[in-house]
Amino acid sequence: MIGLPAGTRVWVAAGSTDMRKGFDSLAALAQTVLGKDPFSGHVFCFRGRRGDLIKLLWWDGDGLCLFSKRLESGRFVWPRAEAGVAALTRAQLSMLLEGIDWRQPVRTSQPELAG
């Protein structure tokens, strides 16, 4: 993943999006449906109907970047359609891109007192 500047917000569009959409159509969705400025420098995430493909739209200061990822197996964990939009941290975005359930990550070990 490209290193995002500090303060970058990650917005996830709930529900599914037509994955045939490109730069302009996704920017319009970010503005009209999510109510956010697509040229703000924040990341906007969209998922296809089947759940195995996502697209990320990001203004890097010079132009719009469009990233896409398709999982070979499994599905991306996504918020419910009635939620509208969800905000993620950069760590949650990393988990999302790895196919991990970002809503309830499980730690592999618990800290223990030194004995």
Side-chain angles (χ1 to χ4, degrees):
M1 177 72 191
I2 293 175
L4 298 173
T8 301
R9 304 282 311 263
V10 179
W11 300 105
V12 176
S16 63
T17 302
D18 182 352
M19 288 289 102
R20 295 174 292 181
K21 293 185 182 294
F23 291 96
D24 297 330
S25 299
L26 292 175
L29 281 178
Q31 188 172 8
T32 59
V33 176
L34 304 180
K36 309 293 181 192
D37 178 8
F39 305 106
S40 61
H42 300 306
V43 176
F44 300 94
C45 305
F46 305 92
R47 186 182 82 157
R49 183 177 43 84
R50 288 192 321 237
D52 64 342
L53 178 65
I54 61 171
K55 288 188 176 181
L56 280 62
L57 185 70
W58 175 51
W59 173 261
D60 71 352
D62 295 323
L64 283 172
C65 302
L66 184 60
F67 302 97
S68 63
K69 182 170 184 175
R70 185 186 70 207
L71 291 177
E72 291 302 315
S73 64
R75 301 285 180 256
F76 291 105
V77 175
W78 218 246
R80 290 198 167 95
E82 61 269 8
V85 64
L88 300 182
T89 64
R90 292 186 297 181
Q92 288 171 322
L93 175 62
S94 294
M95 287 185 273
L96 170 69
L97 292 173
E98 293 296 324
I100 299 170
D101 187 347
W102 52 268
R103 299 168 303 174
Q104 298 176 337
V106 178
R107 296 196 183 275
T108 57
S109 67
Q110 295 295 326
E112 297 180 16
L113 294 175

